[in-house]
Amino acid sequence: MERRALLGLAVVATAASTSARASSGGAAPSADTYVRLPVITASILQANGRRGVLTIETGVDVPDAALRTRAQQSAPRLRAAYNTAAQRFANGLRPGVVPDIDQLSVALQAATNATLGRAGARLLLGTVMAV
């Protein structure tokens, strides 16, 4: 009998935390606010001296409808800004070193804010792969 009460309490606690997180600012992006962008690539130098490729999957979460429309219309400009930021990041990588994703995300978020003209769009990173 106590297990059922404990299980019921766990279900209620999980539901309460989910609704609290959804009502706070840290809500997950929905399909309505998400703008997907093409994969960004940059050339890198590998440890053996050969050229490699850094690929970055990106997207933007824009809760504000007016800014989302601007982001959708500015998708080619966003991609160009991301390509520039990614190549600058790749040029600073030493051969054979793992890319610092935090540094990359800061550079791409700055490119997002500069391209859209104001803050409010959150950069989302998918797979970052150096081959």
Side-chain angles (χ1 to χ4, degrees):
M1 189 75 155
E2 290 178 14
R3 273 192 235 165
R4 290 181 188 159
L6 185 61
L7 181 62
L9 182 62
V11 169
V12 170
T14 303
S17 69
T18 303
S19 65
R21 185 176 38 213
S23 65
S24 70
S30 70
D32 298 334
T33 63
Y34 179 70
V35 177
R36 187 179 183 281
L37 297 168
V39 175
I40 305 301
T41 59
S43 61
I44 59 172
L45 190 60
Q46 295 179 341
N48 60 4
R50 293 185 177 172
R51 286 283 180 192
V53 177
L54 176 70
T55 61
I56 308 161
E57 291 180 354
T58 59
V60 182
D61 178 36
V62 191
D64 182 22
L67 189 60
R68 184 173 45 256
T69 301
R70 181 172 173 87
Q72 290 169 341
Q73 293 172 347
S74 300
R77 292 182 63 219
L78 277 172
R79 182 163 184 196
Y82 289 170
N83 279 330
T84 302
Q87 191 59 54
R88 282 186 188 148
F89 175 78
N91 289 340
L93 283 178
R94 292 184 314 194
V97 175
V98 177
D100 183 11
I101 304 303
D102 293 331
Q103 182 183 5
L104 176 63
S105 67
V106 168
L108 291 176
Q109 183 64 52
T112 303
N113 294 342
T115 302
L116 296 180
R118 67 180 174 106
R122 184 174 51 159
L123 171 78
L124 302 174
L125 290 178
T127 304
V128 178
M129 185 171 33
V131 182

